[in-house]
Amino acid sequence: MSRPRLAAALAVTLGAAAVFASFAPGLPLHWLFGLAFGWVLQRAGFCFVAAVRDPVLTGGTTLARGLLAAVATATVGFTVVTVLTGRPGTVAPAGLNTVVGGLLFGVGMVVAGGCVSGTLMRMGDGFVMQWVAFAGLLAGSLLGARACCSWSAPLFQGSRPVFLPDHLGWTAALGLQAAGLGLLWWLTARHERRRFGSLAGPASLTSGEAEAEADTSAEAAPSESHEAPTSPLVRLRTAAVRAAIGGFSPLAGGLALGLLNVLYFALAGRPWGIMTELTYWASALWRLFGQHPEEWAYFSSRGLVSSRTLLAHPGTALNVGIIAGAFLAPFVLSQWRLRPMKSWRHAVAALAGGVLMGFGARLSLGCNIGALFSGTASLSLHGWIYLVSLFAGSLLGVRVADAFLFQPALRRLRGNAPGRTGPGPAPVVRTGATQAHPGTPAKAVRLGR
């Protein structure tokens, strides 16, 4: 870990906190939580797309179980906060809009190679493709806001918020939540055991984790206060350094995201969400072209955020923090690098997928964070409907991405493979997984993207 880089990261953290504090005293809290969310997402490689896509595409369920752990952890914490404060979490109307929005979002996130949180994280991590997807997100969310109260209005007819404890009672609602999450955990684990014979065991140490072992060996030695090497304090400190340098498992990442979401709900007064603020960003950009989105029913019903107020909006500090956290995590370790797109197909896929995600998020009134993660953990019916719809959409998205991105790439590789002299089956070309773009499934990586 580079000390100058660490000092630079600390300076950016404190400097940005001071800037946000000049707009509103409470904004540094949202900025710091954004940094934490971005750091965990990047170091754990936590990908919502892979969580819902890989069980079908590759048979792997590690990320799916990490997502279930995140929701379970947040459910417990949200329940405590709601009971103590009387303030429910994210409870949005559930109806046909949730189904259609989830389907569109599921297709879009697979095609674009990342969900909303994954897009922000990979923007900071150097993926050029996700900057294009981000442009699509803004365009799609703006289009969704324009259509929300006009030609897509029939989708919202009959939609209403359903907070399960209000209808079932706390005991039955929590029991149903536990049964649903437990069933999904059992199904995913059973699926992976059938596919591979067992669940994935602990991964071997990466080079970064090996460095962490070396860096922390001196810390593990007795200090001047004669602290025992095996004391809980030393073990906790060593584990923290290992996580910072070498990363940690998706399961640990899911638990960390769940705890962070609970703390954010308790301290900020609302669960984690992303897309509403991005829609405000899009409206601000649209006004630069002389347009008047404030006249649209979507914004007139909730008020349009002005450019200056937008800078003082908690969501701005939070979302910028996610990007910054995902950048600073590899930056301080000298691991950050720019990852350009491989072809024009990736640019088209990123833009189109981003538009579908943005539009779908406005229909369903949430994305993979606000609707799926926070909504489900809030015991809101719309969260479960969104989860099922998003999974169905991701299956369709896999077919689209496979036809438009993965298969053409494989054909090019096989056609240019060394030693290929004529017709017939091409040899398999194996390349490192680190060369794949974020939307590439493991199957395609192993074949060689």
Side-chain angles (χ1 to χ4, degrees):
M1 181 181 294
S2 170
R3 289 187 177 181
R5 287 174 176 261
L6 184 61
L10 182 60
V12 168
T13 299
L14 297 178
V19 171
F20 281 120
S22 67
F23 289 103
L27 289 184
L29 174 70
H30 302 276
W31 159 251
L32 293 176
F33 267 102
L35 288 175
F37 281 127
W39 180 78
V40 172
L41 287 169
Q42 199 278 335
R43 299 315 295 164
F46 201 90
C47 177
F48 284 76
V49 176
V52 300
R53 177 200 66 197
D54 285 359
V56 174
L57 191 62
T58 68
T61 63
T62 301
L63 279 161
R65 286 179 281 118
L67 174 57
L68 294 174
V71 174
T73 303
T75 298
V76 175
F78 282 13
T79 299
V80 173
V81 173
T82 300
V83 170
L84 293 179
T85 65
R87 184 177 63 240
T90 302
V91 182
L96 187 57
N97 64 298
T98 313
V99 175
V100 176
L103 286 170
L104 292 176
F105 192 95
V107 174
M109 72 177 190
V110 174
V111 172
C115 55
V116 174
S117 59
T119 295
L120 297 184
M121 181 266 285
R122 290 189 176 102
M123 286 168 64
D125 203 16
F127 285 90
V128 175
M129 180 177 176
Q130 301 316 118
W131 284 90
V132 178
F134 182 71
L137 268 174
L138 296 182
S141 66
L142 194 64
L143 181 61
R146 183 69 180 91
C148 198
C149 299
S150 55
W151 53 269
S152 65
L155 296 176
F156 291 86
Q157 292 180 359
S159 298
R160 61 189 182 92
V162 178
F163 183 47
L164 293 178
D166 285 347
H167 296 267
L168 305 177
W170 279 103
T171 301
L174 289 172
L176 187 62
Q177 182 89 341
L181 294 175
L183 177 62
L184 289 176
W185 184 284
W186 178 77
L187 288 174
T188 54
R190 181 171 178 265
H191 176 72
E192 185 167 329
R193 286 194 182 97
R194 281 189 166 187
R195 188 76 176 267
F196 302 108
S198 64
L199 292 178
S204 59
L205 285 178
T206 65
S207 58
E209 287 170 328
E211 292 172 7
E213 289 277 5
D215 291 343
T216 57
S217 59
E219 295 183 14
S223 64
E224 293 181 358
S225 60
H226 304 289
E227 184 178 54
T230 57
S231 71
L233 179 60
V234 172
R235 290 199 299 269
L236 179 62
R237 185 172 59 190
T238 302
V241 174
R242 285 179 181 172
I245 296 178
F248 41 90
S249 70
L251 179 59
L255 293 173
L257 289 175
L259 289 173
L260 283 173
N261 204 353
V262 172
L263 289 174
Y264 187 68
F265 181 25
L267 298 177
R270 62 168 194 169
W272 185 17
I274 296 177
M275 272 308 302
T276 298
E277 286 73 22
L278 295 188
T279 306
Y280 289 143
W281 290 11
S283 68
L285 291 173
W286 195 233
R287 288 200 303 274
L288 295 178
F289 294 94
Q291 303 301 312
H292 301 281
E294 66 275 7
E295 299 175 356
W296 301 353
Y298 177 87
F299 292 111
S300 62
S301 64
R302 63 184 65 200
L304 187 63
V305 179
S306 66
S307 298
R308 171 157 181 92
T309 308
L310 187 63
L311 295 175
H313 197 282
T316 296
L318 181 67
N319 290 341
V320 171
I322 294 172
I323 299 173
F327 167 75
L328 293 175
F331 171 78
V332 297
L333 302 173
S334 301
Q335 295 175 353
W336 189 92
R337 63 186 177 88
L338 190 66
R339 297 169 171 86
M341 289 181 291
K342 301 297 183 181
S343 74
W344 63 270
R345 290 176 179 270
H346 295 147
V348 173
L351 187 62
V355 170
L356 287 175
M357 282 195 292
F359 190 85
R362 285 281 55 84
L363 284 182
S364 54
L365 304 178
C367 61
N368 63 292
I369 298 299
L372 192 159
F373 185 14
S374 295
T376 306
S378 297
L379 302 177
S380 175
L381 179 62
H382 91 287
W384 281 101
I385 296 176
Y386 187 82
L387 172 60
V388 174
S389 302
L390 181 141
F391 177 71
S394 70
L395 298 182
L396 178 58
V398 166
R399 292 183 176 273
V400 175
D402 190 53
F404 185 71
L405 287 177
F406 307 142
Q407 290 304 321
L410 291 176
R411 284 195 295 269
R412 287 197 306 272
L413 280 174
R414 288 167 176 166
N416 297 327
R420 181 160 174 80
T421 59
V428 172
V429 181
R430 297 185 181 273
T431 59
T434 56
Q435 300 300 315
H437 78 84
T440 308
K443 174 177 72 174
V445 172
R446 288 194 295 270
L447 291 173
R449 266 262 293 106

